[in-house]
Amino acid sequence: MKSSVFTAMLLVSIIIGANTAHAFGRPRPTPTPMPTPAPAYNYSAEELEGMRLINQHRVSMGLGAVTPNDFISYQCLDHETYMIKKNVASHDYFTDRANAIQARLSATNVGENVAYNYLSPQSVVTAWLNSDGHRANIEKPKFKRVGYSVRANSSGKKYYTMIFSD
């Protein structure tokens, strides 16, 4: 009897915790509502160059190019807003972004690369290619779509979020 009561209480606390707060006690960010279809994302020259470099690498390996997706790029932008506010590069709430992308685009695979304080598209792409986990996302053959956003904080340090999906 004590065991089943404890199990029930533990299950309720996990469900409540999973729906209301991050593991570190921070409240979940409120996502920007996204009408259907997603409005066109206005890619900067820096974002376009980063995606060009990623595609150049993928094509050189015999992989197909990934196509920019506005909905995914808005997910990237929301995450950068969060990272800038917290002043830290992180993958916090990646599951929320992945779930939104999976639901909206019927995707089954989603991967994310983040970085901050790089000075150019080439420098951040080079860093990702020199990191096993980031390179695995870039080189995953199943990935066909990409979202990308680059924003600077008030000090001028840039935050980068790139999300891939099938």
Side-chain angles (χ1 to χ4, degrees), residues 2 7-8 12 18 58 66-67 69 75 85 99 137 152 154 164:
K2 288 181 184 179
T7 303
V12 168
R58 285 179 59 90
V66 287
T67 303
N69 181 278
Q75 294 293 312
K85 182 178 178 182
N99 288 341
N137 281 336
S154 60
F164 300 88

Side-chain angles (χ1 to χ4, degrees), residues 1-10:
M1 179 71 162
K2 288 181 184 179
S3 175
S4 63
V5 171
F6 175 76
T7 303
M9 290 174 55
L10 180 60

Side-chain angles (χ1 to χ4, degrees), residues 70-90:
D70 294 342
F71 178 77
I72 299 173
S73 292
Y74 278 111
Q75 294 293 312
C76 295
L77 178 60
D78 278 350
H79 185 54
E80 283 176 359
T81 302
Y82 169 81
M83 291 191 299
I84 289 170
K85 182 178 178 182
K86 295 297 180 183
N87 198 32
V88 65
S90 76

